[in-house]
Amino acid sequence: MSRQRCRIGVIAPASRMSAEVAERVPPLAKSLYPERTPEIVFHPQCFASHGHFAGDDDTRTQAFLEIANDAGFDAVWWARGGYGSCRMAEAVMRGLSEPARRKAYLGYSDAGALLAGLYRAGFATVAHGPVAHDILRDGGDAAIARALAWLVDRAPATLEPTVGTVSKTAAFNMTVLSQILGTPLQPDLAGHVLMLEEVSEALYRIDRALFHITSNPAIRQVAGIMLGRCSDITPNEPEFGLTEEEIARYWCRRSGIAWLGRADIGHDAGNKIVPFGPIAVGVA
Amino acid sequence: MSRQRCRIGVIAPASRMSAEVAERVPPLAKSLYPERTPEIVFHPQCFASHGHFAGDDDTRTQAFLEIANDAGFDAVWWARGGYGSCRMAEAVMRGLSEPARRKAYLGYSDAGALLAGLYRAGFATVAHGPVAHDILRDGGDAAIARALAWLVDRAPATLEPTVGTVSKTAAFNMTVLSQILGTPLQPDLAGHVLMLEEVSEALYRIDRALFHITSNPAIRQVAGIMLGRCSDITPNEPEFGLTEEEIARYWCRRSGIAWLGRADIGHDAGNKIVPFGPIAVGVA
C-alpha cells in the first residue's frame, strides 16, 4: 500500500447491513493485524433503509462514489449482497473518476453486476470474494480474515487454487451473470476460466441459468467453466433428475465450452478469492 | 382452413401433462363446435416422464417435429408450460421443414423460448395464449374456448384488446424472455408493443428481470411495454416498497421505453391471445 495503514471503505449497494457486522469486523481486523491494523470505514449508507434496499438508488450510488473516488481509500469492500447493484450500476460507472481506478474492489453475489461493470471499464483490481456480512456465517471469521489478507496484502493463500495456474479468471453468481447478459454491463470474458456458484435456487432454475449463460455467443469464448458450490438448493417438483454438476457438465457439452471441474467458491465461509482478469502482481 | 375440420396437434415441450386434460378438452371442443369439431390429437409424448420433463430432450424434440412437420395438422398447441423448451429449441429449429411454416402455434410461459425461435425464423402465425392445461384452472373452459376460437377461426374476440390497434405485438413471461436475451433465440422486437406477464416470483426478481429486459439495446427498440398480470407473487423480505406496476413504470422511465399501460394477459383463465408480429389476416 502507498501508506502505512490500508484504508478500506465499506458500502452496501444492495441490501442493508446488520449493525453487528460493524461491531465485530474491526476488532477482528485489529487482532489479525495488531501492528498495522487496517482502517475499516463503514459508510453510513450501509445502515440506511429504503424498502428492499440499503437506501434509495441515489443514496447507494453516492455512497459508492464517495468511497471509490476518494484517493484516501485503498479499497472498496461490499458490506453484503442481496439485491440492488444493477439499479445503480449505470450511474456509478458514469460517476467514477481517476482515483477509483487505483483501488481494489471485493464482493460477490449481487455485487457481480458492479464488478462486471468495473472490469469491463478496465479496472485492474476487481475480485469475487467474501463480504463483511460473512462474519455472521458459521466460521465467518475465516472468511473475513481471507478478505482482509487479500485487501491488505493480496496474499496468494487467499486465492481460489486455480487462480495463477491459468491466464485469466472471473467468477459470478450464475443468476447475477445471467441477468446482465446482453446489457452494457456484460464483460468480455474471452479466454477466462469462468467460475459460477449459486445459492437458494431450484435445480430447474440452475439449468435455465446455465442454458442462458452457455448459449451466449460471447460467453462461448471463455477458456472453460468451473462450478462452485450450489448451496441451499430449493425443492424441485418433480425431482429434477440431475445434480448441479451433471447440469453444468451437460451445458458445457452442449455448448462446446470446456468443463474444468469444481471451483472453491460459494455462499459460505470457505469462499476463496477470484480476481477478474490476469492475477494482479503485488499491491499498488 | 384448407380442410373441413381443423386438426390440432398437442405437444408438451416442458413439463408433463395431466391425463385429465386429454379427457376434458375434446368433449368441450365437441360441445363448442358440434358441426365441425376440431380434431385434437394429444401426442403420446405429453404423458411421458423423465425427471422434470415430459420425456427426455430427444423425445420432446421428436414429438414437436412430428406434429410441426406433418402437413396433416393445422396447428401446434402447447399442452402446458413448466420448464424445458430452451433445452430443445435448438434441435427443433434445426429440424423444422416446410409444412411447419404453414401452421399456427399457440402457447405461453415456458413456451416463449420456442415461440421466440419460431418468430425469429419468420413463422407467420405464432401466438401467446392459453394452453390445454388451462382447462384445470377455475373458469378454465373459457380459456380453452378462447384458444380453440383462435386456432379454428382466428376469431378477433380472442385477442388482447390492443392487438390490431398497433402495428406489431409480442408477449412473453418476463423471466422466460430474460433467459433468452443474448442467445440465438432472442427475436427482433423492434417496433413491437411488448406485453410481459409473470407468475410466482418475488418483486425483487420482477425488478431484476425488468432491469435485464429494458437494459438490452435491441429490446429498447420496442414501441413500448405493457404489463400483464403478475399473479401469485411470492413474499419479498423485506417489503420491496414498489408494486409490480410501479416497477415496470420505473424501468420504462429509466430505459426510455414507452409505458403503455396494462395488458390483458397472465397465468389465469382470462389470458387473451397475442399474435407475434402484425396481426394475421384471416386463416390460411
Side-chain angles (χ1 to χ4, degrees):
Chain A
M1 294 290 152
S2 51
R3 60 187 71 77
Q4 202 61 23
R5 296 175 62 194
C6 179
R7 286 193 83 220
I8 300 167
V10 182
I11 41 70
S15 301
R16 189 182 191 185
M17 195 185 79
S18 163
E20 187 183 350
V21 175
E23 291 157 14
R24 289 177 54 183
V25 168
L28 176 60
K30 186 161 174 54
S31 74
L32 292 166
Y33 300 90
E35 303 300 316
R36 47 184 187 116
T37 310
E39 184 182 355
I40 301 173
V41 178
F42 291 88
H43 193 289
Q45 173 269 320
C46 293
F47 310 101
S49 179
H50 183 85
H52 191 96
F53 310 104
D56 64 18
D57 293 351
D58 189 54
T59 300
R60 302 195 319 284
T61 300
Q62 291 312 316
F64 193 99
L65 292 175
E66 278 171 32
I67 302 287
N69 289 339
D70 182 345
F73 284 100
D74 301 290
V76 178
W77 192 22
W78 266 253
R80 61 171 297 188
Y83 168 67
S85 295
C86 69
R87 282 186 152 249
M88 49 177 282
E90 190 182 336
V92 164
M93 297 313 299
R94 217 168 31 227
L96 291 168
S97 60
E98 198 49 36
R101 293 190 170 267
R102 296 194 298 274
K103 48 178 63 74
Y105 295 82
L106 181 64
Y108 72 111
S109 195
D110 179 78
L114 274 161
L115 297 175
L118 293 165
Y119 183 55
R120 181 178 165 133
F123 282 53
T125 315
V126 174
H128 182 280
V131 294
H133 224 258
D134 284 323
I135 200 166
L136 303 182
R137 294 189 186 277
D138 278 351
D141 282 13
I144 302 308
R146 189 179 313 115
L148 294 175
W150 186 78
L151 289 167
V152 174
D153 291 326
R154 306 286 186 276
T158 63
L159 302 176
E160 204 285 336
T162 306
V163 177
T165 71
V166 297
S167 67
K168 295 182 197 171
T169 49
F172 283 97
N173 171 270
M174 63 178 77
T175 296
V176 171
L177 177 58
S178 156
Q179 298 285 273
I180 62 171
L181 293 182
T183 77
L185 295 172
Q186 180 175 348
D188 178 5
L189 299 179
H192 293 59
V193 171
L194 173 59
M195 306 185 196
L196 298 170
E197 59 86 42
E198 193 50 278
V199 66
S200 303
E201 298 288 356
L203 285 169
Y204 87 90
R205 289 177 185 259
I206 288 175
D207 191 76
R208 191 169 59 188
L210 288 175
F211 150 75
H212 188 213
I213 290 167
T214 62
S215 297
N216 185 282
I219 295 289
R220 289 193 178 182
Q221 303 303 310
V222 299
I225 283 178
M226 299 179 74
L227 183 67
R229 288 178 287 282
C230 297
S231 52
D232 187 25
I233 290 174
T234 57
N236 203 87
E237 177 54 45
E239 282 291 318
F240 190 76
L242 297 172
T243 66
E244 66 269 33
E245 182 172 321
E246 288 168 335
I247 291 170
R249 286 174 177 268
Y250 170 82
W251 285 111
C252 282
R253 198 162 56 241
R254 271 279 298 263
S255 62
I257 295 174
W259 161 254
L260 300 177
R262 301 303 297 251
D264 190 9
I265 62 169
H267 271 67
D268 51 49
N271 189 24
K272 300 303 185 297
I273 289 171
V274 182
F276 282 59
I279 188 170
V281 179
V283 172
Chain B
M1 295 288 153
S2 52
R3 62 186 70 78
Q4 200 63 22
R5 294 175 63 194
C6 178
R7 286 193 82 221
I8 301 167
V10 182
I11 41 69
S15 301
R16 189 182 191 185
M17 194 186 79
S18 162
E20 187 183 349
V21 174
E23 289 158 15
R24 286 177 54 184
V25 169
L28 176 60
K30 185 161 175 54
S31 74
L32 292 166
Y33 299 90
E35 303 299 317
R36 47 188 187 112
T37 310
E39 183 181 357
I40 301 173
V41 178
F42 291 88
H43 193 289
Q45 173 270 319
C46 294
F47 311 100
S49 180
H50 183 86
H52 190 95
F53 310 105
D56 65 19
D57 292 352
D58 190 53
T59 299
R60 302 194 322 284
T61 300
Q62 291 312 316
F64 192 99
L65 293 174
E66 279 170 31
I67 302 286
N69 290 338
D70 182 344
F73 284 100
D74 301 292
V76 178
W77 192 21
W78 266 253
R80 63 171 295 188
Y83 169 67
S85 294
C86 69
R87 282 187 151 248
M88 49 178 282
E90 190 181 336
V92 164
M93 296 314 299
R94 217 170 30 230
L96 291 168
S97 60
E98 198 49 37
R101 294 191 170 266
R102 296 194 298 273
K103 49 177 62 78
Y105 295 83
L106 181 65
Y108 73 112
S109 194
D110 179 77
L114 274 162
L115 297 176
L118 293 165
Y119 183 54
R120 181 177 165 134
F123 282 54
T125 315
V126 175
H128 182 279
V131 294
H133 224 259
D134 284 323
I135 200 165
L136 304 181
R137 295 188 186 278
D138 278 350
D141 283 13
I144 302 309
R146 188 179 314 114
L148 293 175
W150 185 79
L151 289 166
V152 174
D153 289 327
R154 307 286 186 273
T158 64
L159 302 176
E160 204 283 339
T162 307
V163 176
T165 70
V166 296
S167 67
K168 295 181 197 172
T169 49
F172 283 97
N173 172 271
M174 62 179 77
T175 297
V176 171
L177 177 58
S178 156
Q179 297 285 273
I180 62 171
L181 294 182
T183 77
L185 294 173
Q186 182 175 347
D188 178 5
L189 299 179
H192 294 60
V193 170
L194 173 59
M195 306 185 196
L196 298 170
E197 59 86 43
E198 193 50 278
V199 66
S200 303
E201 298 288 355
L203 285 170
Y204 86 90
R205 289 178 185 257
I206 288 175
D207 192 73
R208 191 170 59 189
L210 288 175
F211 151 74
H212 188 214
I213 291 168
T214 61
S215 297
N216 185 283
I219 295 289
R220 289 193 178 182
Q221 302 305 310
V222 300
I225 283 178
M226 298 179 75
L227 183 66
R229 287 176 288 281
C230 296
S231 52
D232 188 26
I233 290 174
T234 57
N236 203 87
E237 177 52 46
E239 283 290 319
F240 190 76
L242 296 172
T243 66
E244 65 269 32
E245 182 172 321
E246 287 167 337
I247 292 170
R249 286 172 177 269
Y250 170 83
W251 286 111
C252 282
R253 199 162 57 240
R254 272 279 298 262
S255 61
I257 295 174
W259 161 255
L260 301 177
R262 301 304 298 252
D264 190 9
I265 63 169
H267 271 67
D268 51 48
N271 189 26
K272 301 302 187 295
I273 290 170
V274 181
F276 282 59
I279 187 170
V281 179
V283 172

